[in-house]
Structures are given as structure tokens and as C-alpha cells.
Amino acid sequence: MTENETPRIGVFVCHCGHNIAGTVDVVRVAKEAEKFPNVVFSTDEMFMCADSGQELIRTKIKEHDLTRIIVASCSPRMHEPTFRRVVEEGGLNRYVFEQVNLREHVSWCHMHEPEAATEKAIDLVRMAVARAAKLEPLPIKRVKVIPRTLVVGGGIAGLRASLDIADRGFEVVLVEKQDKLGGNVIKWTHMFPSDRTGTEVVEPLIERVESHSNIKVYKSSRVIDFEGYIGNFEVTIESQGRKKNETVEVGAVIVATGFEAFKPKGYYGYGESPDIVTLDELQAMPRQDLLLRPSDGKPAKKIAFIGCVGSREPGKKGHEHCSRYCCSAVAKAAADLRDRVDEALVLYQDVRTYGRGHEDIHRLARQKRVIFSKFEPDEKPEVTVTDGKIKMRWRDVLADDQLAFEPDLLILASAMIPPSDVEETATMFSLTRSGDGFFNPEHIKLAPLTTHTAGIMIAGVAQAAKNASESVIDASGAAAKAASLLARGEVEIESTVSRVDPDLCSSCHTCVAACPYGAISMDDSDPPIAVVTEAKCHGCGTCAAGCPSGAITMFHSTDEQILSMVEALLVPSPISGGE
């Protein structure tokens, strides 16, 4: 469409099953849209994201020679890429598509006001029509991809991801802050569901990683500087014992920084007796025929476990989450140790052995006469240490009775928490964190391994608390994402970026300071002019909003486009009836 041609707009209103149509009169919205300026076709459909809905868009583009497409449905975050692809398949530029969020912005938040919700939906569609008339096709841009991946973290997830990528023929740079690979897993002597030690599990991976021709390992090292954009990152690595830092270029990054076991000071007498240990510390004890007390080396005859230590605590930041591995790990440890002790007791809030085969572990522990006793979350067991003896008191929920026990060894199943340097890692790679402190994925269901920083993936416990098996699955998934990016050789970048008018730029540096992605810098001219690195720009508009000179324009969100929506809401055009 040329600049002077009249736009021909098609509007497609989605029922989303009962999600939108249960509140909003979608038929009426579509009928009203027919009357808006430049609208030549409007309809409603049960599911616009379904194959039938997508085909409807492609067909109507050709039948009505549509030049702008509006879909009024759910959040753009979920299906904007879907509809952009459909529009392109219909022969149009992807940036002449506009999506209206009727589900989250209307039907879900106004479900008890159907009439008002319908009026709001009509307003939103009218605003979208006004904006669509001002939309302009934008070029599709691509950048080259450096065929090398940085993996941060040498635990089981980092090892698996490195091998998966290297076996596909791509180079890997693996950076581990400790002086050896293997992470937490290599310390553990008892793993579930098998009886293998952590060393037996990860040692073969370590041997392969350290001998692989496509993998370069940096131990006792850390990333101290990180710049660039998807396909073209520059990483500076600092290593102990090396006088000079090393810089490498990579196309993708996998963050697999793992976790730390929570040290539960202030919980159940931890720290008051050497015979009160965490599950992580128990798993690090050497395997031997007898279970020995740390205090005096004598055999422990009576042991007890307490679950959910530092986990599932509502209102306590960083400790509200379920650590997920503890119930199965406690059941496994109790079942294994029951053969070496006279009594084994497990105190629990709930038992969540959800993994494949994990319920068998729980059942085995009960068959071995491990005693499970449930306590209320707001009635925690009392633990005291007197003259070196550990005494426990609690109320058993099922028996509704006060009980007591004096174990020789008390094991606390403490929470998984992020590493102490997680904030530094988040800042380095521009990652966000969720309430549990771990890194946010791009989308919890649809994109759990990618992040909002294009080209950076997360794997294993870096994303959330989980067991080793799940971490390995994550790692292979993240590796597949990275490898597919490297294999393409080049990648598309968003065209909805900012642009600086050099004639208006006042060299104030406001935009440089405001940009959260480091996408703007000043050139070498005199006076210097702000320059946008488009591949790093996320199109957030922060720079345009802050620019005092009005020198910055946001492609796809120009002032004219935004104001047209405001005018459509406040001063709607007279009903013209489509073309």
C-alpha cells in the first residue's frame, strides 16, 4: 500500500470459547466494528488461534484485498507471533497487524458487568482501528549468529547442556566458579530413584566434557563483563591464576547456575548440636556400613527427619516455594538408613512424591517401617538440645496427640535457594527474578527455557527448585534452543525499535542513562549524537519518553499512532460504515 492509498481494514473478534464470549457480546462488537472508518470486513469466530481461524484470516485478506488486520482476542504475549505469521502467509507485512486484548483487559476483569464490558470492548476495537490505519510496513532485519555458546555453571545441567551442543558440532565455552565440575550433585552419596552416588552419575559427564574437542572449560572462573545482543555477545572471563582476562565471542548463552542448600539457622536447633544436620549435609557424608553421629563418631540408632525447613513459608520472601525434591529425597534416605538404625521417623507437613517412580520410594520407606507423622504448618515441632541430647515434641495431626522423640541424629530437609551471587548474575545477563529468587523464564508455560533477553536461556535450578532428573531435561531443552539458533546462521531481530533524529539530538545523554538494555550510546562526532544499536533495542520506549528534545521516534509506536487511539476514544469519528 502506498502512502496515499486508503487502508482496508479487517477485524476478527474471537470468542475464545467461553473466556471472552461468556462476558462480552462478541457478535455485537464485530457488528459495531463494521461501522468504523476504513473497516471493509468484520466477523467473529470461536477460536481465532485455531487452524480454522488462521485460515479465515488468510482467505479474507485475499477476498477483500485487506491491507490491515486486527484480531480482538487474548494477550498479544501468547499469540501475537502466531497472527503475525498468518498475516505474512496472507501476503502482508507482519507489522500491519494489530491485536486487541479482550480476554485479560475486558472479560476476565469485568466478568460481572457484561454490558459495560461489551462497551469497553467496542472502544478498544475502535482505538485499534484508528491505530491500524496509521501502521506502516517495517523491514524484516537479520543479524549473523556466532556459532559458539557460553554455558555458565558446571553442575549437572551445565554439563549436559555443554555436551548436547558440542555433540551437534558447535563450540562451547563452559565457565565454572568452583575449582572442579559437578556442582552439588557430585557431593551426594545417595541419589533417588537409583542407588547411585552423585560421583557415579556426573563423573562420566565430566570426563566427556573435559576431553571434548568442542568444549573449552574455565574452572575457578567467572564472567566479569558481558555485552552484545542475540547472536553476537562478547564475554570477558576472569580466572584465578591467570594474569590476563580472556574475551570470547558467543552467539548464545545458557545460564545454569544451580542453587545453594539453605542453612537453617534458627530452625529446629540447627547449629546448637553437630548431630542436627541438613539433608544436603547428610548426603555429603561418606557411605559406610554404620551411620555415625558427627558429635562423637558413635553409631546413630534413632534418627528423625523434618520436612519443609525453610520452604513453604507464606509471607517469607524467598522461602514461600516448595523445593520439590525434598519429599522424595527424605523418603529415599529414610528407607536406605532404616536398615542401619533401630528407628527412623519422618515429620512432615505434606508428602509430595510426584515424580515417576517416586511414590514407590515413599511406599518402600513405609514398608520398612519408617514412621511418618504429620504436623500442622502453624504448629511446628519443638526441638531442644540439653546436655548434648536432642529432644523433639510435636502434635501428630492424625492421632491428635502430643508425641515426643529423642533422636541420635536429626536431619532437616532444607530448602533450595539461589546462589549467593544470584543478583550479580541477574545484573550481568539482564535477567529478572521471581519471588523465590530464581530467574524468570520468558513464559512459564510456553517458553520456560528462554528469557526476556533474546539469545539467553536458563536451565536446571537456575529457573526454579527441581531435582536432578528435571534439571537434565531442562539442560537438553536449552541446548536444543541454543543449537537451533546457531544452526540458522542468522536470526531475525525486532523492527519495533527506536530511531534518533540527529538534527534534533541535543547530546544530553538522557536516553543513554534511561535505556535499561544498554542499546544507546553516543557516537564520536562533535557534539556527539545518540546512536541506537537496533539488535539490543527492545522497543520499550523509555528513551523516547525521556528525550527532552523529542529526537527519538519509536517505530510501530509513533506519536501519530498513539494519538490516533486517544482521539478515537475521546472524539470518535462519525459512523461512516466501512469503506
Side-chain angles (χ1 to χ4, degrees):
M1 193 187 83
T2 64
E3 185 177 345
N4 297 323
E5 289 181 1
T6 302
R8 298 174 61 82
I9 301 174
V11 177
F12 301 82
V13 184
C14 182
H15 293 229
C16 196
H18 198 68
N19 276 299
I20 297 174
T23 300
V24 176
D25 185 346
V26 293
V27 176
R28 181 183 161 201
V29 174
K31 287 293 183 185
E32 289 295 319
E34 291 178 349
K35 305 173 186 175
F36 298 154
N38 303 311
V39 173
V40 297
F41 177 79
S42 180
T43 189
D44 59 281
E45 176 73 10
M46 181 58 70
F47 290 107
M48 287 307 307
C49 60
D51 289 345
S52 58
Q54 296 180 32
E55 181 58 30
L56 178 66
I57 295 174
R58 288 189 286 262
T59 301
K60 295 306 176 184
I61 288 175
K62 294 178 181 177
E63 282 185 10
H64 296 275
D65 195 22
L66 302 177
T67 58
R68 302 286 187 275
I69 300 298
I70 295 171
V71 174
S73 55
C74 55
S75 166
R77 186 174 182 180
M78 180 171 290
H79 279 305
E80 186 178 61
T82 303
F83 295 125
R84 279 184 171 182
R85 173 181 53 78
V86 172
V87 166
E88 285 187 319
E89 291 169 353
L92 301 179
N93 183 279
R94 69 180 69 167
Y95 293 104
V96 298
F97 166 75
E98 178 72 4
Q99 188 165 358
V100 182
N101 186 354
L102 294 188
R103 192 178 66 184
E104 282 84 348
H105 289 178
V106 182
S107 61
W108 281 1
C109 55
H110 302 299
M111 61 176 61
H112 301 302
E113 303 171 282
E115 182 61 31
T118 301
E119 292 296 330
K120 180 178 178 180
I122 293 170
D123 284 344
L124 292 178
V125 172
R126 183 192 303 112
M127 295 166 68
V129 168
R131 171 177 155 82
K134 305 292 184 182
L135 291 178
E136 297 176 356
L138 297 176
I140 308 302
K141 300 177 181 178
R142 294 179 174 83
V143 296
K144 297 287 185 182
V145 177
I146 297 170
R148 186 181 301 115
T149 300
L150 168 70
V151 177
V152 184
I156 192 169
L159 293 169
R160 183 71 268 168
S162 298
L163 283 172
D164 283 3
I165 296 170
D167 287 343
R168 287 174 167 88
F170 298 108
E171 294 181 25
V172 175
V173 174
L174 174 59
V175 177
E176 166 57 48
K177 62 184 178 183
Q178 303 294 337
D179 58 0
K180 64 179 181 181
L181 301 177
N184 285 291
V185 171
I186 200 169
K187 300 182 300 184
W188 297 340
T189 55
H190 299 80
M191 294 192 67
F192 65 87
S194 70
D195 287 323
R196 302 173 69 190
T197 67
T199 300
E200 291 172 336
V201 172
V202 298
E203 196 62 40
L205 297 179
I206 294 174
E207 290 177 1
R208 283 202 62 210
V209 163
E210 293 188 324
S211 62
H212 205 296
S213 60
N214 285 337
I215 302 177
K216 186 170 184 178
V217 179
Y218 292 82
K219 289 184 280 192
S220 301
S221 303
R222 64 192 185 102
V223 176
I224 60 171
D225 196 21
F226 181 77
E227 293 183 345
Y229 48 85
I230 182 171
N232 298 267
F233 297 109
E234 188 173 282
V235 185
T236 303
I237 302 169
E238 180 186 67
S239 302
Q240 292 181 14
R242 294 186 184 182
K243 295 182 179 179
K244 190 175 180 181
N245 298 332
E246 192 164 342
T247 300
V248 296
E249 294 181 334
V250 301
V253 178
I254 295 177
V255 177
T257 44
F259 73 99
E260 288 180 1
F262 175 54
K263 298 294 184 185
K265 293 181 180 177
Y267 289 77
Y268 305 120
Y270 182 77
E272 298 177 23
S273 167
D275 296 331
I276 300 177
V277 300
T278 65
L279 182 60
D280 180 71
E281 291 165 346
L282 174 74
Q283 290 175 321
M285 291 180 179
R287 275 193 171 189
Q288 46 196 353
D289 293 336
L290 295 175
L291 177 64
L292 304 180
R293 294 194 304 193
S295 60
D296 55 13
K298 294 181 179 179
K301 295 297 183 182
K302 297 188 291 184
I303 63 172
F305 296 81
I306 298 179
C308 298
V309 180
S311 298
R312 304 178 64 207
E313 298 184 17
K316 189 168 185 178
K317 187 177 181 181
H319 293 277
E320 294 183 301
H321 62 283
C322 170
S323 292
R324 302 181 52 173
Y325 85 105
C326 324
C327 291
S328 298
V330 164
K332 173 64 175 172
D336 287 347
L337 294 174
R338 182 65 184 85
D339 298 330
R340 288 178 266 171
V341 300
D342 296 336
E343 294 180 73
L345 168 69
V346 175
L347 302 189
Y348 67 95
Q349 291 187 47
D350 297 294
V351 176
R352 297 178 169 180
T353 50
Y354 67 92
R356 184 179 184 182
H358 294 187
E359 185 58 24
D360 292 340
I361 300 171
H362 178 221
R363 195 174 296 118
L364 175 64
R366 289 185 177 276
Q367 289 171 350
K368 288 189 171 184
R369 299 187 179 179
V370 172
I371 300 170
F372 285 79
S373 178
K374 179 177 173 62
F375 64 88
E376 292 284 7
D378 56 355
E379 291 185 75
K380 303 286 188 184
E382 295 178 5
V383 176
T384 57
V385 180
T386 305
D387 298 329
K389 291 186 177 180
I390 303 169
K391 297 181 179 180
M392 304 170 58
R393 291 180 58 83
W394 75 100
R395 187 178 73 83
D396 182 275
V397 172
L398 302 181
D400 191 20
D401 196 6
Q402 289 291 332
L403 302 177
F405 191 62
E406 293 188 14
D408 298 323
L409 184 66
L410 173 60
I411 301 107
L412 307 179
S414 63
M416 283 183 172
I417 59 174
S420 57
D421 58 354
V422 65
E423 187 58 40
E424 179 183 342
T425 306
T427 302
M428 181 70 68
F429 296 102
S430 300
L431 302 176
T432 60
R433 297 166 62 195
S434 54
D436 58 12
F438 297 103
F439 299 125
N440 273 321
E442 184 178 4
H443 190 286
I444 192 64
K445 289 183 179 178
L446 303 179
L449 302 176
T450 53
T451 69
H452 292 290
T453 303
I456 299 181
M457 276 64 75
I458 50 178
V461 185
Q463 191 248 29
K466 60 191 69 171
N467 63 44
S469 299
E470 294 169 327
S471 294
V472 169
I473 294 171
D474 270 11
S476 288
K481 292 278 186 185
S484 66
L485 171 62
L486 306 184
R488 276 182 273 169
E490 60 180 19
V491 63
E492 289 184 4
I493 60 173
E494 268 292 335
S495 296
T496 54
V497 296
S498 61
R499 178 181 63 85
V500 178
D501 184 342
D503 295 332
L504 296 179
C505 180
S506 60
S507 307
C508 66
H509 289 63
T510 300
C511 55
V512 177
C515 179
Y517 303 103
I520 306 180
S521 57
M522 307 302 291
D523 67 9
D524 297 328
S525 60
D526 186 18
I529 302 298
V531 177
V532 178
T533 302
E534 293 186 348
K536 297 174 70 174
C537 179
H538 286 229
C540 66
T542 305
C543 56
C547 179
S549 308
I552 299 180
T553 300
M554 289 301 308
F555 288 128
H556 207 55
S557 294
T558 65
D559 290 349
E560 184 182 24
Q561 292 164 0
I562 301 300
L563 289 174
S564 69
M565 299 175 71
V566 176
E567 290 173 358
L569 176 65
L570 301 178
V571 192
S573 301
I575 299 301
S576 62
E579 295 181 81

